[in-house]
Amino acid sequence: MSVLELADVVRVHGSGETAVHALRGVSLTVEPGELVAVMGPSGSGKSTLLNLAGGLDAPTSGTVLVEGTDLGGLSRAQLAAVRRRSVGYVFQDFNLIPALTAAENVALPRELDGVRMREVRRESAAALEDVGLSELADRFPDELSGGQRQRVAIARALVGPRRLVLADEPTGALDSRTGEWVLRLLRTRCDAGAAGVLVTHEARHAAWADRVVFLRDGAMVDETGKATPVEALLK
Amino acid sequence: MVRNGLLALLLRGPMHGYRLRAEFEASTGTTWPLNIGQVYTTLARLERDGLVAPLGEADAEGRVMYELTAAGREEVGRWFATPVERQSRPRDELSIKLAMALMTEGVDVHAVLQAQRTATLRSLQELTRLKAGADEVTDAAWLLVLEAMIFQAEAEVRWLDHCESRVSALPARHATPAPAADHEEVPS
């Protein structure tokens, strides 16, 4: 089963003369193990696509399925539950809670979901181990470097049963080497079975994805698909 | 470049041609494969210019070791100390193609830009896959070469993005019409 499936998704803001077509019939499927990068100029619909995929916004028409669940048919409470259990966000500015330790930040979505404390701690520790930050679990965000904070955010995005990570310019606030390590980590987590959607304007980072799709004026204009074999490139 | 590369390798000590070729390829990750003939012609030229000298007689397999002369040593030092000049590429095919696309009626310059962007991103993905599999320490030299190609591809994508926003900002129907004689309208 696909982790994310957008089918002919349209999003129009406003109506009549002043209507803005943010997305004009976009379809995108992301399988477990897959990292998909979305590129396009500002205003092309990248953020709208990410918001729809995460259930933060609803399409004007078309369907959004997360792990097989049609978000369109859900009550507000059910939608919130899908967001807590299935979807994690990674932002440019990390969005960690300063008063909580790394472990507590990672644990938060599970706690909010009513999971037992012992289980929450186990999941949080496992998620931090997956991003190589076990030793720093008790540090607060301001005691971590930018790269480490983003690793915490990735751990939080994939804690417990969460399998879909939506990353919005996750390297925007990081230097080139640190940004690369964040991409390597996203790549590794997807190779381990997660599904990722990465919005970026940096081609060098998009290139870590299995597929790169290009948006323009709310429509998908092209994608890289499966790349050519290595040998062909080095001739 | 081969010339300076060989001189730099000889800083490590005397080597014969086959060894030089192997070391050159090990350092650059076979990005620029050398044939042995190229190595020996280059060595002959370097010897003529007094930058290297044969060391003793040929061995049983007919291979001659070469070493750097003092002038050769000085030459390598100069090479490392001198920045490489940006190549001017006045006949760069891609720039010409885009300029032509922009000025030719009936050609969708956005489509030309996008086709190039997709292709460049695809090679960037391949280069990144190679990089992901390389070892930070043992492949350090190869990684430098690989990243040079990665950053060049990235620069091309950024330039294409820039072209696109520039083209988008142009007023419609900017294209210069073809000469009037026998000119048929191409619907845009």
Side-chain angles (χ1 to χ4, degrees):
Chain A
M1 182 177 55
S2 307
V3 179
L4 175 67
E5 196 176 340
L6 304 185
D8 204 17
V9 166
V10 173
R11 180 68 173 104
V12 184
H13 298 287
S15 60
E17 292 275 298
T18 57
V20 176
H21 293 258
L23 286 181
R24 307 164 184 264
V26 168
S27 298
L28 175 70
T29 304
V30 187
E31 304 293 337
E34 213 181 8
L35 178 62
V36 176
V38 182
M39 298 191 79
S42 43
S44 59
K46 304 186 301 265
S47 301
T48 305
L49 186 145
L50 220 52
N51 288 338
L52 289 165
L56 297 173
D57 186 12
T60 307
S61 68
T63 53
V64 178
L65 273 69
V66 173
E67 307 219 62
T69 304
D70 184 348
L71 302 189
L74 302 182
S75 69
R76 189 179 279 258
Q78 288 170 319
L79 190 59
V82 169
R83 284 208 301 264
R84 283 196 305 272
R85 279 171 215 156
S86 304
V87 189
Y89 267 95
V90 177
F91 300 96
Q92 174 169 337
D93 48 5
F94 322 124
N95 280 32
L96 300 178
I97 297 176
L100 301 182
T101 64
E104 290 164 350
N105 265 286
V106 174
L108 192 60
R110 302 301 288 148
E111 266 185 71
L112 293 175
D113 211 25
V115 178
R116 283 183 317 156
M117 218 40 219
R118 247 182 68 189
E119 180 64 9
V120 168
R121 280 203 207 96
R122 198 191 57 75
E123 287 179 358
S124 166
L128 279 170
E129 194 185 339
D130 286 339
V131 301
L133 275 189
S134 295
E135 329 80 79
L136 305 179
D138 296 325
R139 297 251 186 117
F140 289 93
D142 65 2
E143 299 168 328
L144 298 170
S145 70
Q148 289 166 340
R149 282 184 229 181
Q150 204 56 306
R151 278 151 76 188
V152 174
I154 291 170
R156 179 182 58 187
L158 292 170
V159 67
R162 289 176 148 196
R163 268 210 305 177
L164 177 59
V165 53
L166 304 173
D168 195 353
E169 300 282 3
T171 57
L174 303 173
D175 66 58
S176 149
R177 282 277 286 161
T178 314
E180 183 188 315
W181 280 107
V182 166
L183 259 305
R184 264 183 203 272
L185 178 61
L186 272 180
R187 178 73 263 170
T188 311
R189 300 306 299 131
C190 287
D191 288 341
V197 180
L198 162 72
V199 164
T200 181
H201 67 277
E202 290 197 62
R204 194 157 39 84
H205 293 150
W208 286 88
D210 298 291
R211 280 187 290 146
V212 184
V213 302
F214 298 92
L215 283 184
R216 193 162 169 267
D217 298 330
M220 213 176 271
V221 289
D222 206 358
E223 69 164 288
T224 59
K226 291 291 169 214
T228 45
V230 178
E231 297 73 38
L233 195 78
L234 293 177
K235 263 174 199 161
Chain B
M1 184 202 64
V2 173
R3 174 180 182 274
N4 290 316
L6 296 188
L7 286 176
L9 286 173
L10 287 172
L11 273 178
R12 301 181 197 171
M15 291 181 211
H16 52 67
Y18 281 92
R19 178 75 192 284
L20 279 167
R21 182 178 73 161
E23 294 290 335
F24 187 91
E25 292 188 351
S27 300
T28 57
T30 68
T31 313
W32 297 292
L34 282 183
N35 67 54
I36 194 67
Q38 215 176 342
V39 173
Y40 278 109
T41 357
T42 309
L43 280 172
R45 246 177 264 142
L46 288 170
E47 190 184 346
R48 179 199 66 199
D49 296 343
L51 300 174
V52 304
L55 185 67
E57 297 298 309
D59 65 9
E61 290 165 65
R63 297 179 302 196
V64 183
M65 303 275 268
Y66 284 86
E67 64 175 350
L68 280 182
T69 62
R73 216 166 272 279
E74 210 175 294
E75 180 76 11
V76 195
R78 212 165 17 241
W79 183 53
F80 280 125
T82 314
V84 174
E85 281 199 34
R86 290 273 326 141
Q87 279 180 337
S88 58
R89 295 187 299 169
R91 285 171 182 262
D92 180 282
E93 184 183 351
L94 182 55
S95 329
I96 292 175
K97 187 187 282 191
L98 290 179
M100 291 299 170
L102 186 62
M103 300 311 289
T104 310
E105 236 180 305
V107 176
D108 181 352
V109 67
H110 287 290
V112 176
L113 281 165
Q114 184 56 50
Q116 186 64 42
R117 182 159 35 214
T118 304
T120 308
L121 232 320
R122 221 172 257 149
S123 25
L124 202 47
Q125 279 176 292
E126 264 324 306
L127 292 166
T128 305
R129 260 185 273 273
L130 289 175
K131 176 172 158 166
D135 183 278
E136 290 272 310
V137 178
T138 55
D139 296 323
W142 158 230
L143 274 169
L144 283 184
V145 175
L146 206 49
E147 286 182 328
M149 296 195 277
I150 286 174
F151 276 85
Q152 276 157 19
E154 183 194 35
E156 185 172 291
V157 174
R158 291 186 60 187
W159 173 63
L160 291 168
D161 290 346
H162 177 79
C163 291
E164 175 135 54
S165 62
R166 185 178 276 284
V167 170
S168 298
L170 287 174
R173 292 178 167 278
H174 55 82
T176 308
D182 304 329
H183 174 230
E184 278 181 40
E185 279 298 321
V186 184
S188 58

